[in-house]
Amino acid sequence: MGEAKQLHEKGYTMSAMIPPDVIQDGVAYWKADKVSAYFGGSPTVGTLGVWRYRGEGPRFVKLGCRREHRQRDTRRVVYPVREVIAWGERNGLQQQTVAA
């Protein structure tokens, strides 16, 4: 079964036209650039990073395992697509559509 069909059956609308970067355990995730694109570039990728630091913005997760020998956490930051959409609705942000 195609990825788009699977997401549609799970309740995702294809109006976003932004495919997930990662699907893990049945959950679709976007990286920060796609979250920004979904909202038309505002918030920016940088703003999302500041919000993560402050504990604001949409819920995010870090994928992978933390390496003990590194000072910085280098795990990949991703946002569950459903959480991004729900957060946008709660905060009055709208998906930006692209004209055909």
Side-chain angles (χ1 to χ4, degrees):
M1 183 182 309
E3 185 176 295
K5 187 173 182 179
Q6 288 176 344
L7 290 173
H8 180 70
E9 287 177 356
K10 291 181 179 181
Y12 292 103
T13 62
M14 290 294 112
S15 62
M17 301 301 288
I18 302 174
D21 291 306
V22 178
I23 298 178
Q24 184 172 326
D25 298 327
V27 179
Y29 296 96
W30 281 333
K31 293 182 195 173
D33 61 334
K34 290 191 179 176
V35 173
S36 180
Y38 178 75
F39 293 117
S42 180
T44 64
V45 172
T47 299
L48 289 167
V50 170
W51 286 351
R52 284 194 308 271
Y53 177 77
R54 293 181 180 171
E56 302 172 2
R59 189 175 75 81
F60 68 94
V61 296
K62 291 185 174 186
L63 298 180
C65 57
R66 183 166 183 167
R67 298 189 177 153
E68 295 298 323
H69 65 280
R70 294 194 180 195
Q71 284 186 309
R72 264 184 70 211
D73 187 353
T74 58
R75 293 176 292 172
R76 183 173 17 175
V77 173
V78 291
Y79 297 83
V81 173
R82 286 187 181 187
E83 293 286 332
V84 170
I85 294 168
W87 177 84
E89 290 172 354
R90 284 192 309 271
N91 290 283
L93 297 175
Q94 294 182 355
Q95 164 196 345
Q96 300 296 312
T97 57
V98 178

